[in-house]
Amino acid sequence: MGQTSGRQERSKKPEVAPREVMEAEIEIQNNKDETKEVKAKNQKLTSVFGLADLKNEAIGLYNLGQSCCLNSLLQVFLMNIRFTRILRRITVPSSPAQRRSSVPYQMLLLLEKMQCGKCKAVGPTELACCLSEHRVELFVQHDAAQLFLTLWNLLKKQMKKPELVEELCDLYTICIQEHVACQKCSFEVKSKSTMLTLPLPVLDANSHRLKTLSMKLVHLPQTLTLHLKRFCFERSSRTHKLSHSLPFPQELDLRQVLTESQCQAEDSEKATWQYELFAVVAHSGSASCGHYCAYIRSLTDCKWYCFNDSEVCQVSWDDVKCTYGHSNLYWRETAYLLFYMKKHPQQPWPGVSECL
C-alpha cells in the first residue's frame, strides 16, 4: 500500500494460539470454583462501558486457529458505542453453567478484558467455547455475512430484557416491502419483512456491473450493513470470488441514491437516511482459502484502524479505499461487508422487533 500511516503488511501470518493450549485453558476455566472475586466481577459488569466509550486505544484479538472472521466481526460489534450501550445492560445469568453458555455475557466479559488488559491483544477463548456449545464450528473457514447473522441471532435470542431486544432490532434490522402480483389478473399482495444485511450483487444476471438496487425500503436502522455479494456459483458448482472494483463513499445519502419508487417510507424516516461509513470487513484470498480483517473508524478520535487479529494499527482513508477491489488481482483485499452509521438517528422505530 505504501502509506505512511503505519499499516503493517498482510504477508506475515497472524499469531495463532495452539489448539491444545486453548482446550487446556477452557478445561481449567470450567473446573474453577466460583470465588468472591468472580462474584464481584459479575456485579461490576452491570456498569461496564464499551471500548469506544472510554478510550481510544485499540486492542487486538489473538487468532485461535482460523478465527480471523470471528475476530473481525467481534471488533465491529465492540467498537460500536450504540451496541455496547445495549450489551452492558444485560441481565447477568445466575449460575456458572448459564454464564458459560450465554453469548451476550461472554461477549461482555471479553469487552471487559479488552478494556482492563495492558496487553496489545487478548484471546477470545471463553467466547469461542461458548459459541461451540451453540453449534458454531471452530477451526474452520467462515463466511463473514453468515457468521454475522449467527452471532446477531444468538445475541437477540439470549437477551432476556424485551427493551434490549427492541433496541438491538432497531440498531441493525432493515424493513423492506415485498410485492407479489398475479400474472393473470391485477391482484397484488404487499407485505413487510426484515433483514439484517442489505445484499448488493456485484454483478447482475448477465455478468454486468450492478448499478441499481432492486427492492423497496421502508425503514433503515441506525447501523446499516451492506453485503457485497462477491461470491458466486459457477456451472461447475464451485464457488468463485468476484474481485471487481466497487467504490463506496465515506458519506452516503440514500435519498439521492434511490428512486422514489424504491423509498416506501415516511418523510420523517427518509430524513434520517444520511450515513457515515463506520467499518469495513475485508477478505483477501480465494473463495476456498482466505483471510479476514476489519477497518474501523473509532467513534472517539474519528481515526481509521486496521484490526488484523492481534495486530492493530492506524491507517488512512487511502488504505481503506484499497479494498474497493480489482478484477485482475483477486488475492488482494476486497470489501465484503460495509457498516454505515446514521448521522442523525431518530427515536426507535415502532414495530421492528415484531417483524422478526
Side-chain angles (χ1 to χ4, degrees):
M1 304 293 181
Q3 301 296 326
T4 59
S5 56
R7 179 186 177 190
Q8 301 187 17
E9 294 294 330
R10 299 288 183 276
S11 57
K12 78 168 191 174
K13 296 181 179 179
E15 298 180 44
V16 178
R19 181 170 183 170
E20 293 80 4
V21 175
M22 175 186 172
E23 292 174 346
E25 290 180 357
I26 294 173
E27 183 177 358
I28 293 172
Q29 180 67 29
N30 291 342
N31 291 334
K32 282 184 178 180
D33 293 329
E34 188 174 17
T35 64
K36 293 182 179 179
E37 293 181 359
V38 174
K39 291 181 179 179
K41 177 185 289 187
N42 292 337
Q43 295 174 354
K44 177 184 176 183
L45 284 175
T46 57
S47 61
V48 167
F49 285 81
L51 176 63
D53 286 307
L54 293 181
K55 61 180 183 179
N56 299 334
E57 184 178 359
I59 305 297
L61 295 172
Y62 285 112
N63 193 310
L64 304 176
Q66 300 190 65
S67 65
C68 58
C69 182
L70 174 63
N71 288 349
S72 299
L73 292 173
L74 289 176
Q75 295 285 13
V76 173
F77 272 118
L78 298 180
M79 287 291 286
N80 188 337
I81 293 177
R82 294 166 184 168
F83 172 75
T84 56
R85 286 176 179 170
I86 297 173
L87 188 66
R88 67 173 182 254
R89 288 155 51 209
I90 66 170
T91 301
V92 176
S94 57
S95 71
Q98 290 175 332
R99 289 193 287 272
R100 284 195 296 269
S101 63
S102 171
V103 174
Y105 178 76
Q106 290 299 329
M107 193 176 287
L108 188 56
L109 282 182
L110 178 62
L111 176 62
E112 186 192 44
K113 188 190 297 187
M114 295 172 74
Q115 285 185 278
C116 302
K118 297 181 180 180
C119 302
K120 70 168 187 176
V122 298
T125 307
E126 291 79 11
L127 177 56
C129 179
C130 173
L131 291 172
S132 68
E133 292 186 19
H134 298 284
R135 299 183 180 180
V136 178
E137 291 187 84
L138 304 180
F139 315 111
V140 298
Q141 298 265 352
H142 280 285
D143 177 86
Q146 293 178 356
L147 186 58
F148 177 61
L149 177 61
T150 299
L151 291 173
W152 191 88
N153 281 329
L154 286 171
L155 287 166
K156 175 177 176 289
K157 180 180 179 180
Q158 295 184 328
M159 283 190 178
K160 303 302 182 182
K161 296 180 179 179
E163 64 271 21
L164 297 186
V165 174
E166 180 73 24
E167 290 181 36
L168 186 67
C169 292
D170 187 70
L171 182 59
Y172 286 106
T173 53
I174 306 159
C175 185
I176 64 172
Q177 187 176 74
E178 298 178 313
H179 294 253
V180 179
C182 178
Q183 295 181 346
K184 296 182 179 180
C185 65
S186 59
F187 182 74
E188 185 180 49
V189 176
K190 298 180 181 180
S191 62
K192 293 180 181 179
S193 62
T194 59
M195 56 179 62
L196 190 62
T197 62
L198 194 61
L200 298 178
V202 178
L203 302 178
D204 62 16
N206 298 318
S207 297
H208 296 142
R209 288 182 58 183
L210 196 70
K211 297 181 179 180
T212 59
L213 178 67
S214 55
M215 61 179 61
K216 298 182 178 182
L217 303 176
V218 177
H219 168 74
L220 294 180
Q222 296 181 52
T223 302
L224 175 64
T225 307
L226 304 182
H227 175 200
L228 306 182
K229 304 191 72 172
R230 291 191 176 274
F231 298 100
C232 66
F233 289 99
E234 297 179 329
R235 293 182 178 179
S236 59
S237 297
R238 296 183 59 183
T239 304
H240 176 67
K241 180 180 177 181
L242 302 173
S243 299
H244 297 67
S245 177
L246 190 63
F248 47 86
Q250 289 194 70
E251 296 189 356
L252 177 64
D253 189 341
L254 287 174
R255 297 172 302 176
Q256 300 178 3
V257 176
L258 303 176
T259 63
E260 192 67 29
S261 62
Q262 292 172 326
C263 299
Q264 301 295 317
E266 300 292 335
D267 291 339
S268 59
E269 163 70 21
K270 288 188 287 187
T272 68
W273 287 9
Q274 298 178 59
Y275 286 86
E276 289 182 308
L277 186 63
F278 163 64
V280 177
V281 171
H283 178 270
S284 58
S286 65
S288 59
C289 180
H291 180 70
Y292 284 100
C293 69
Y295 294 86
I296 305 175
R297 180 174 58 85
S298 170
L299 299 180
T300 52
D301 63 11
C302 297
K303 296 178 181 177
W304 282 94
Y305 293 88
C306 176
F307 293 81
N308 185 24
D309 287 330
S310 60
E311 300 295 330
V312 181
C313 62
Q314 186 181 333
V315 295
S316 68
W317 172 242
D318 286 336
D319 290 319
V320 181
K321 289 196 299 183
C322 288
T323 66
Y324 282 174
H326 194 291
S327 57
N328 297 324
L329 299 171
Y330 68 91
W331 276 97
R332 287 182 56 179
E333 287 180 351
T334 50
Y336 187 48
L337 294 177
L338 304 177
F339 297 83
Y340 282 88
M341 279 191 176
K342 275 185 178 179
K343 285 186 176 182
H344 310 290
Q346 61 180 177
Q347 293 297 318
W349 191 70
V352 174
S353 62
E354 284 78 1
C355 296
L356 299 176

